[in-house]
């Protein structure tokens, strides 16, 4: 049902010749991706080293590497110095490095096709290229006329690929494995869920997808991939994090107390991908991680009123899908944070989208109440009937909640009165017994008959 564990000794498979990683200098790559734009890359490469002090390059590291986090372990060798060469070869960088140098300009006559070659000295590259050619200064314009710049060589400072260069003091000659580890930005993941609710059977089918995003500037080929649910502490603020969808209604969760077989790293849960995968640069990849059928669920309604909230017109209750990720309910795992998109079958049996909302990291055994939209036929009109001062510091407030149901069957509405966290709140009288779930809210489960109404009255004694 869920992702299995990645075998620790899995054999590395070479990428196909036409894959985006063909020709890569990477070795056996493992990538651990966290939720807050942090990833740990571990790359095991075989090095052929001479005896003594040698300079070794590691091309194809992440272009978004955090150089200060690099760790390199090489048997019988010590690190003397390391540099990250992030100035990559491109037309603009090549021209910038040519300032003060002489290049060859090849111009083509559009009418005749004849080529002329001139030696030109690059004077400046500031919003444009300024050159000295044939004793005069001109601007190399991008006006569509055929012109090419030929450089005598590639500057040593420019690299075709992101490269880490290391000076090693080797105590022997020969080949040996080197383990390169570093943190990188530009790699992230998120979870998305599709929930197909069957009102008749009272069950929901839940599919989970992991979305991997790579904007690091580097492709990681045939990598073992481990996802960590939870935000680790970091002093690096340069990352832009992950996309967070607009939250229209608050999902409520009663935390679970069940233990899960899911692997953990400290207080974080681990989601390893069962198969190696290539995470290409500038790619979004989706991998299935959950497929649960027949999870016990129910649809209901919820209405939350702010303190002293009154309305002249009835307001829609929220449509809420409730289910549990407990083992008994049929789900049985900790769920990483993500967006749940809910579908319900129509009269023809076709799944139709009815709304979405976000869940946070949810421990196993939790009960989830997921608002998906506003109900058309179920309304609530809250009214502040009276408010009377009781001495210097107390008030007595009478509230009335009128609930209407235009559906052809009875419904139950979870009525929530918020704003009660000011301290020393007492219920003096009520027409229905409520539950004080926390310091700030009180909740009533109100049955409303088909095509009918129900009324709840409550009198509060408060300090405000």
């Amino acid at each position: 049902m869920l992702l299995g564990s990645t075998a620790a000794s899995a054999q590395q498979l070479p990428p196909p010749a036409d894959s985006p990683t063909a020709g890569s200098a990477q070795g056996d790559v493992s990538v651990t991706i966290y939720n807050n734009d942090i990833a740990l890359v571990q790359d095991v490469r075989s090095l052929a080293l001479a005896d003594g002090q040698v300079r070794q390059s590691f091309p194809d590291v992440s272009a978004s590497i955090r150089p200060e986090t690099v760790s390199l372990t090489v048997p019988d060798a010590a690190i003397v110095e390391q540099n990250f060469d992030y100035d990559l070869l491109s037309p603009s960088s090549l021209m910038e490095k040519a300032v003060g140098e002489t290049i060859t300009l090849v111009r083509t006559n559009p009418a005749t096709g004849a080529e002329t070659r001139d030696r030109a000295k690059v004077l400046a590259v500031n919003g444009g290229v300024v050159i000295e050619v044939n004793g005069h200064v001109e601007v190399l314009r991008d006006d569509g006329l055929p012109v090419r710049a030929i450089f005598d060589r590639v500057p040593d400072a420019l690299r075709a690929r992101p490269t880490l260069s290391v000076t090693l003091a080797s105590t022997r000659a020969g080949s040996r494995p080197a383990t390169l580890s570093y943190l990188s930005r530009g790699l992230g993941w998120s979870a998305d869920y599709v929930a197909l609710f069957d009102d008749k059977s009272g069950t929901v089918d839940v599919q989970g997808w992991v979305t991997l995003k790579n904007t690091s500037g580097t492709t990681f080929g045939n990598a073992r991939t481990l996802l960590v649910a939870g935000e680790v502490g970091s002093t690096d603020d340069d990352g832009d994090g992950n996309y967070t969808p607009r939250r229209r209604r608050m999902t409520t969760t009663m935390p679970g107390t069940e233990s899960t077989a899911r692997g953990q790293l400290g207080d974080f849960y681990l989601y390893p991908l069962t198969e190696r995968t290539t995470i290409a640069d500038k790619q979004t990849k989706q991998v299935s991680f959950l497929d649960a059928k027949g999870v016990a669920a129910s649809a209901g309604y919820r209405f939350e009123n702010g303190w002293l909230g009154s309305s002249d017109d009835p307001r829609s209750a929220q449509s809420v899908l409730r289910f549990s990720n407990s083992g008994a309910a049929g789900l049985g795992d900790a769920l990483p944070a993500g967006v749940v998109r809910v579908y319900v079958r129509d009269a023809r049996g076709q799944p139709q989208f009815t709304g979405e909302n976000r869940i946070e990291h949810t421990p196993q055994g939790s009960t989830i109440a997921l608002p998906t939209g506003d109900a058309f036929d179920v309304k609530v009109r809250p009214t502040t009937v009276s408010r009377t001062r009781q001495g210097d510091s107390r008030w007595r407030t009478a509230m009335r909640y009128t609930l209407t149901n235009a559906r052809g069957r009875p419904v139950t509405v979870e009525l929530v009165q918020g704003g009660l966290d000011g301290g020393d709140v007492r219920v003096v009288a009520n027409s229905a017994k409520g539950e004080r779930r926390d310091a700030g809210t009180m909740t009533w489960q109100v049955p409303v008959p088909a095509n009918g109404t129900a009324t709840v009255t409550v009198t509060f004694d408060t300090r405000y």
Side-chain angles (χ1 to χ4, degrees):
M1 181 177 66
L2 291 151
L3 289 171
S5 298
T6 302
S9 59
Q11 180 68 34
Q12 183 187 14
L13 299 176
D18 60 348
S19 78
T21 55
S24 170
Q26 293 173 355
D28 188 357
V29 178
S30 300
V31 181
T32 302
I33 307 176
Y34 300 84
N35 285 130
N36 50 339
D37 195 36
I38 296 177
L40 171 64
V41 179
Q42 300 179 76
D43 187 352
V44 181
R45 307 186 185 189
S46 180
L47 303 183
L49 301 178
D51 188 11
Q53 193 168 102
V54 295
R55 187 173 179 83
Q56 178 67 43
S57 294
F58 291 85
D60 296 311
V61 296
S62 170
S64 301
I65 189 175
R66 292 172 57 184
E68 72 279 5
T69 67
V70 169
S71 171
L72 179 63
T73 303
V74 184
D76 302 321
I79 300 176
V80 178
E81 179 183 282
Q82 67 183 30
N83 301 282
F84 176 55
D85 302 319
Y86 54 85
D87 203 354
L88 299 183
L89 181 63
S90 67
S92 58
S93 65
L94 191 58
M95 188 63 76
E96 289 169 0
K97 295 297 183 183
V99 172
E101 302 290 335
T102 300
I103 63 174
T104 299
L105 294 182
V106 180
R107 305 178 195 265
T108 304
N109 189 315
T112 65
E115 287 187 349
T116 59
R117 293 177 175 244
D118 296 300
R119 294 291 284 175
K121 183 177 182 180
V122 182
L123 300 180
V125 182
N126 298 312
V129 180
V130 182
I131 58 175
E132 181 182 345
V133 57
N134 297 329
H136 60 271
V137 176
E138 66 177 79
V139 175
L140 191 61
R141 296 180 299 173
D142 184 14
D143 53 9
L145 293 177
V147 59
R148 290 183 293 126
I150 299 177
F151 300 82
D152 297 336
R153 62 182 182 84
V154 175
D156 294 336
L158 292 182
R159 297 279 188 168
R161 297 175 289 181
T163 300
L164 182 75
S165 58
V166 179
T167 301
L168 297 171
S170 175
T171 60
R172 64 177 175 87
S175 298
R176 69 208 76 170
T179 302
L180 175 67
S181 302
Y182 57 87
L183 295 180
S184 174
R185 296 183 295 272
L187 285 161
W189 74 281
S190 59
D192 290 273
Y193 302 88
V194 174
L196 178 58
F197 176 63
D198 188 334
D199 194 19
K200 293 181 180 179
S201 65
T203 61
V204 63
D205 297 339
V206 183
Q207 289 182 308
W209 294 89
V210 165
T211 300
L212 305 175
K213 294 183 179 180
N214 183 3
T215 59
S216 68
T218 302
T219 292
F220 299 93
N222 200 30
R224 294 189 186 95
T225 305
L226 178 65
L227 311 177
V228 179
E231 296 192 6
V232 297
S234 173
T235 58
D236 176 62
D237 296 321
D238 293 336
D240 58 3
N242 293 315
Y243 166 75
T244 302
R246 179 172 59 96
R247 186 182 302 176
R248 295 180 60 244
R249 305 166 185 86
M250 182 68 70
T251 299
T252 58
T253 303
M254 295 189 65
T257 57
E258 290 184 15
S259 297
T260 178
R262 168 68 53 197
Q264 288 185 266
L265 178 67
D267 290 322
F268 308 123
Y269 284 111
L270 305 180
Y271 295 82
L273 303 190
T274 49
E275 302 291 337
R276 286 176 176 261
T277 187
T278 293
I279 311 171
D281 184 36
K282 298 180 178 62
Q283 181 188 66
T284 297
K285 177 191 290 282
Q286 284 195 310
V287 180
S288 175
F289 81 100
L290 172 66
D291 189 5
K293 305 292 186 183
V295 178
S298 63
Y301 302 93
R302 187 175 189 268
F303 182 87
E304 183 167 354
N305 191 49
W307 180 238
L308 302 181
S310 269
S311 177
D312 294 332
D313 299 312
R315 290 159 34 201
S316 292
Q318 298 171 0
S319 300
V320 178
L321 177 65
R322 292 183 174 87
F323 61 96
S324 171
N325 66 335
S326 67
L331 199 49
D333 199 3
L335 300 179
V339 176
V340 183
R341 294 172 177 88
V342 179
Y343 294 77
V344 177
R345 295 191 187 276
D346 61 19
R348 299 170 300 167
Q350 297 297 316
Q352 300 293 343
F353 177 66
T354 60
E356 66 180 36
N357 216 319
R358 180 176 177 84
I359 61 172
E360 300 304 324
H361 298 305
T362 305
Q364 184 173 326
S366 302
T367 300
I368 301 166
L370 187 82
T372 58
D374 293 334
F376 190 84
D377 291 330
V378 180
K379 307 280 188 180
V380 180
R381 181 186 174 191
T383 304
T384 304
V385 178
S386 64
R387 184 163 165 80
T388 309
R389 184 185 290 275
Q390 305 288 307
D392 294 336
S393 61
R394 300 199 69 82
W395 290 83
R396 184 156 294 185
T397 304
M399 296 293 301
R400 180 175 65 244
Y401 312 90
T402 304
L403 297 84
T404 59
N405 174 22
R407 298 185 59 125
R409 64 179 183 180
V411 301
T412 298
V413 179
E414 183 181 55
L415 176 64
V416 181
Q417 176 61 62
L420 303 179
D421 48 1
D424 195 16
V425 176
R426 307 167 193 165
V427 176
V428 177
N430 60 349
S431 62
K433 185 177 180 181
E435 180 182 1
R436 192 73 179 270
R437 292 183 177 175
D438 55 52
T441 61
M442 193 164 183
T443 303
W444 295 263
Q445 301 296 330
V446 185
V448 188
N451 304 115
T453 64
T455 301
V456 175
T457 59
V458 187
T459 301
F460 298 96
D461 187 300
T462 65
R463 288 184 178 177
Y464 52 92

